[in-house]
Amino acid sequence: GLLIEEERTNVLPFSIDEGNWRANSAGTITLNSGIAPDGTNTASKMSTTSTDMDVGPMTSTSDAVSGGSSYLDNLSSGATYTYSAFFKASTTAQVGNNFKIRMKRVSGTGLVADTTFALTSDWVRHSVTFTLPGDVTRIWTYVGGVIGSEALVWGAQVELGAFATSFMFTSGSTSTRGQDFLVMTGTDVDDIFN
């Protein structure tokens, strides 16, 4: 099939770990622990020992330098965003275990959005979509939150919109993919339509 997408921006500065994702006191992250969907050894292994304490992509370039809070700021209040990433069981013993992708607001009206799914032996992209309340412009992005589960994670993305679009790599700043256009003329059209 033919994929034609609208313009979107991955506002998460670090889509793969590169040493910039952070684990809290109950989480662990191991860099370069598996082959990612793009064929590189850049998937990170993640797990937590608490249902409330997750690990997550580093979401601010200033945080990567200062080691500060890992939240994503300057979002548009009232707007709908989708947070997605690729997941795979870290071992065969982890297949079937639950794992989560979720976000929480930093301040303002309470908001928690998550998706729980079963880990598989293949890479699968999961997402969570949420609409920010009028007084929320900062969020935390997380994965994990299931005791005993461990996953390989890669390709995190936060974008303005009600669904995930194709992956946009980031490494220290946002990344925008332009709108796709399809032009068919002459014999191109004749071959499709008789």
Side-chain angles (χ1 to χ4, degrees):
L2 181 63
L3 177 63
I4 301 173
E5 295 184 301
E6 61 196 74
E7 180 177 306
R8 287 286 183 93
T9 299
N10 184 359
V11 298
L12 199 61
F14 297 99
S15 58
I16 63 173
D17 193 338
E18 299 181 292
N20 294 305
W21 291 2
R22 296 287 183 262
N24 56 37
S25 60
T28 60
I29 301 176
T30 307
L31 285 164
N32 305 327
S33 295
I35 302 302
D38 69 348
T40 62
N41 185 30
T42 54
S44 292
K45 184 167 44 175
M46 299 186 168
S47 63
T48 58
T49 58
S50 168
T51 58
D52 188 47
M53 303 297 269
D54 304 90
V55 293
M58 179 57 75
T59 55
S60 169
T61 53
S62 61
D63 291 337
V65 175
S66 66
S69 298
S70 58
Y71 59 80
L72 186 59
D73 58 4
N74 298 318
L75 300 178
S76 298
S77 61
T80 299
Y81 287 86
T82 299
Y83 168 37
S84 61
F86 293 86
F87 299 87
K88 179 180 178 180
S90 60
T91 65
T92 55
Q94 289 291 328
V95 172
N97 284 354
N98 284 339
F99 213 70
K100 291 183 180 182
I101 181 169
R102 68 183 189 155
M103 59 71 53
K104 295 191 273 189
R105 59 93 170 116
V106 174
S107 60
T109 302
L111 172 67
V112 175
D114 65 16
T115 299
T116 302
F117 53 89
L119 293 169
T120 68
S121 59
D122 296 313
W123 284 105
V124 178
R125 191 178 194 196
H126 294 280
S127 65
V128 60
T129 298
F130 49 93
T131 299
L132 297 178
D135 61 345
V136 174
T137 59
R138 299 183 300 168
I139 63 167
W140 282 299
T141 54
Y142 297 109
V143 299
V146 180
I147 296 172
S149 290
E150 181 181 81
L152 295 175
V153 182
W154 183 87
Q157 182 162 299
V158 175
E159 56 192 303
L160 182 63
F163 55 89
T165 62
S166 59
F167 175 63
M168 292 170 275
F169 175 78
T170 59
S171 181
S173 63
T174 63
S175 176
T176 299
R177 181 193 56 251
Q179 179 180 355
D180 294 328
F181 293 96
L182 175 65
V183 177
M184 298 176 64
T185 60
T187 58
D188 293 337
V189 176
D190 294 340
D191 291 342
I192 294 175
F193 302 102
N194 294 334

